[in-house]
Amino acid sequence: MAPEASLAATTAIRDDDLRSAWELDVSSVMPFIQDLASNFESQKNSLNEQPILKLTDSQHASLMGEYARPGAAHSVDHVLKEARDIFDYRIRMNHPRFYSFIPAAVSPYSWIGETVSSAFNSFAGSRLQSSGPSCIEQGLIQWMASKAGLPSTAGGLTVSGGSMANFTAMVLARDKHLPRDQRLNGVAYISDQTHSSVAKGLRILGFDATQIQIIPTDDRFRMKVRELDDQIQRDRNAGRYPFAVIASAGTTNTGSVDPLHEIVEICGREKLWVHVDGAYGASVLLSKERPNLLAGLGGVDSISWDAHKWLFQTYACGILLVRDKQHLIDSFATEAEYIRDAEEVDDVPNFWNLGLELTRPARAMKLWFTLRILGVDMFGRAIDHGINMAEYAEKQVRLQPDWQITSPASLAAVTFRYAPPGKSEKELDALNVAISQKVIADNIAGILTTKLRGRIVLRICSLNPLTDETMMKKVIDDLDKIARKLLPEIRVVNGLNLH
Ligand SMILES: Cc1ncc(COP(=O)(O)O)c(C=O)c1O
């Protein structure tokens, strides 16, 4: 080819605007990053002043609908300002007075770790594409498995969160313990407090509601093991095929831990898979003050453990640990021509062979980053702090007349209810809903309701290391003041709340 022709071809496909669009305009981004970072720096003070819950009204919703429509190019400044506006409307899940769901008390180092990880954007499906991050993921999995007391055969992987970890475990339980010709006959056992993601996973796998036995719980909301054992026998006698028991190590409602030793014993005898949903609670394995809260965990087949819950990570960072890593390979390994060059050569697996995802981010890197900077002991202290704060909240509630503890502090959760005499159960339900709405509207605390044994109760999950005793005492005192003020206004007529 003549030199002119080759030059023409190069010029024709070179687009300098396009090239510069792929470069970072550092000067326009830095002030924003600095601002975000200083937000974290002073989060104890600045977050305190911020609204815990901010919802869009219809005007904002339509404005943001406009933002969402792709169109012309805008300056970085302009779009960053829009991003700020958009994210302003949210629950600040990391607010020191946000105690609902499972709060996300994210470490700023997780945010940085996530940013670092996303900057390198490694493909963590195979060791070939991400051998450094894969070593870290494998190392962390082994460390977490040993903390849980699993043997050296253990393995696992990071997934998006507890739902995906539970789902993956259900696949293993089915494949290992339920013969193909018994699938319509298989039965799995959960408790009346098991997280909804477990039944959802089972449903997606093709099990209908009659194949999920719900075992009642005791007065501390722990699975009744005698009833479990009896139900398994009844099902066997009816010609059904029990294959898995799902226990909880930290239920979402009350932080209850099912009797793990007994469940492991039953499952060993009955040859059932035992999965523990520790999405929220497994982190107490790092507690310094109470190392034995999950005694018996080492005997189970699989464990869900979310780092975006109580290991202070940004979303989405869940972990599934499995007693024998071979089960993951048996259920998930695939072969395809286009991945043939990415063979496994040593102890670091191709994680795409252990779970559903092929393309996956290096999720373990932010956890590694945070652990490396803060050290394991600091995590343990933070977890102990959360447990102690729940106990403190319980103590403060007990000091107030007319309040009932409906489940005592367990892990970092406590539930309670304003229950003055002379009100019907329906009125008490309405009263507690109104209390929750008012504390949120007044920005006192993010305390939502849940239902226990059919009754509406208030719930505090206190795992934020920035929550302190003064703050918690004031929240409980304010709750009481609000409750007393609302009391005369609550009247339920024919099921209608006339508050
Ligand atoms: C005990 C438990 N399991 C599973 C989940 C689901 O986890 P994710 O939201 O990460 O899917 C949750 C969420 O709160 C949970 O508390």
Side-chain angles (χ1 to χ4, degrees), residues 102 160-164 166 195 197 250 252 277 279-280 306 308-309:
I102 307 291
S160 61
S163 304
M164 187 51 95
N166 286 338
H195 191 268
S197 58
T252 319
D277 181 0
Y280 143 61
D306 273 358
H308 65 217
K309 292 191 167 63

Side-chain angles (χ1 to χ4, degrees), residues 170-440:
M170 292 305 94
V171 173
L172 304 185
R174 180 200 61 184
D175 292 357
K176 173 82 175 106
H177 281 300
L178 187 59
R180 290 189 73 80
D181 60 359
Q182 291 293 334
R183 287 203 178 166
L184 293 176
N185 231 355
V187 187
Y189 300 80
I190 64 177
S191 87
D192 59 29
Q193 295 298 311
T194 305
H195 191 268
S196 57
S197 58
V198 173
K200 181 177 176 181
L202 287 164
R203 195 182 74 215
I204 295 167
L205 287 172
F207 298 102
D208 68 26
T210 66
Q211 296 180 278
I212 304 172
Q213 291 284 19
I214 302 175
I215 305 299
T217 49
D218 63 14
D219 57 350
R220 303 285 298 266
F221 301 95
R222 296 169 298 202
M223 188 186 279
K224 286 186 172 169
V225 281
R226 266 295 286 283
E227 306 239 1
L228 170 68
D229 210 354
D230 291 349
Q231 188 61 50
I232 293 170
Q233 302 316 326
R234 275 196 295 275
D235 287 333
R236 283 214 196 283
N237 293 340
R240 307 185 82 194
Y241 208 105
F243 73 97
V245 175
I246 297 88
S248 300
T251 60
T252 319
N253 260 345
T254 61
S256 304
V257 179
D258 288 332
L260 300 177
H261 273 305
E262 289 90 329
I263 293 173
V264 166
E265 191 274 314
I266 293 172
C267 290
R269 170 170 31 94
E270 297 292 330
K271 307 237 173 327
L272 311 184
W273 185 278
V274 50
H275 172 67
V276 169
D277 181 0
Y280 143 61
S283 295
V284 299
L285 290 167
L286 303 187
S287 160
K288 289 170 71 66
E289 292 170 13
R290 309 172 210 221
N292 296 320
L293 288 171
L294 305 188
L297 189 63
V300 310
D301 292 298
S302 53
I303 303 165
S304 302
W305 182 350
D306 273 358
H308 65 217
K309 292 191 167 63
W310 213 353
L311 291 180
F312 314 107
Q313 298 304 296
T314 59
Y315 303 126
C317 193
I319 290 114
L320 175 67
L321 302 173
V322 177
R323 178 173 208 81
D324 183 348
K325 57 180 174 287
Q326 186 58 39
H327 296 317
L328 287 166
I329 296 167
D330 293 346
S331 289
F332 289 102
T334 45
E335 282 179 21
E337 306 79 27
Y338 39 82
I339 55 176
R340 59 184 293 280
D341 292 327
E343 279 172 74
E344 284 171 49
V345 289
D346 52 29
D347 277 353
V348 179
N350 286 336
F351 285 101
W352 65 32
N353 278 334
L354 306 190
L356 200 62
E357 295 170 302
L358 183 76
T359 302
R360 58 200 292 280
R363 296 187 185 94
M365 291 308 292
K366 57 188 172 186
L367 178 58
W368 165 81
F369 193 85
T370 319
L371 277 163
R372 200 86 178 139
I373 287 174
L374 296 182
V376 180
D377 274 8
M378 190 56 82
F379 275 68
R381 279 170 60 181
I383 287 157
D384 285 327
H385 180 81
I387 300 173
N388 293 336
M389 282 315 307
E391 289 176 353
Y392 181 79
E394 176 185 341
K395 209 166 95 193
Q396 291 306 310
V397 172
R398 285 191 190 278
L399 290 176
Q400 308 283 357
D402 297 335
W403 287 82
Q404 284 173 354
I405 293 294
T406 43
S407 65
S410 181
L411 307 193
V414 56
T415 69
F416 49 98
R417 188 169 195 234
Y418 185 51
K423 293 278 168 194
S424 69
E425 288 294 348
K426 273 203 169 127
E427 285 169 328
L428 292 182
D429 282 353
L431 186 52
N432 282 277
V433 168
I435 294 168
S436 160
Q437 288 170 349
K438 183 71 177 151
V439 285
I440 293 170

Side-chain angles (χ1 to χ4, degrees), residues 424 426-427 491-498:
S424 69
K426 273 203 169 127
E427 285 169 328
R491 215 154 39 94
V492 177
V493 175
N494 293 336
L496 287 177
N497 173 12
L498 300 185

Side-chain angles (χ1 to χ4, degrees), residues 72-113:
H74 296 86
S75 72
V76 176
D77 275 354
H78 180 94
V79 181
L80 286 175
K81 188 182 163 311
E82 286 181 350
R84 231 187 220 304
D85 285 353
I86 296 164
F87 280 111
D88 195 31
Y89 293 90
R90 68 185 199 281
I91 284 187
R92 282 153 175 78
M93 301 282 287
N94 59 338
H95 195 293
R97 297 193 309 276
F98 179 72
Y99 307 130
S100 300
F101 310 118
I102 307 291
V106 165
S107 159
Y109 294 111
S110 172
W111 167 55
I112 301 291

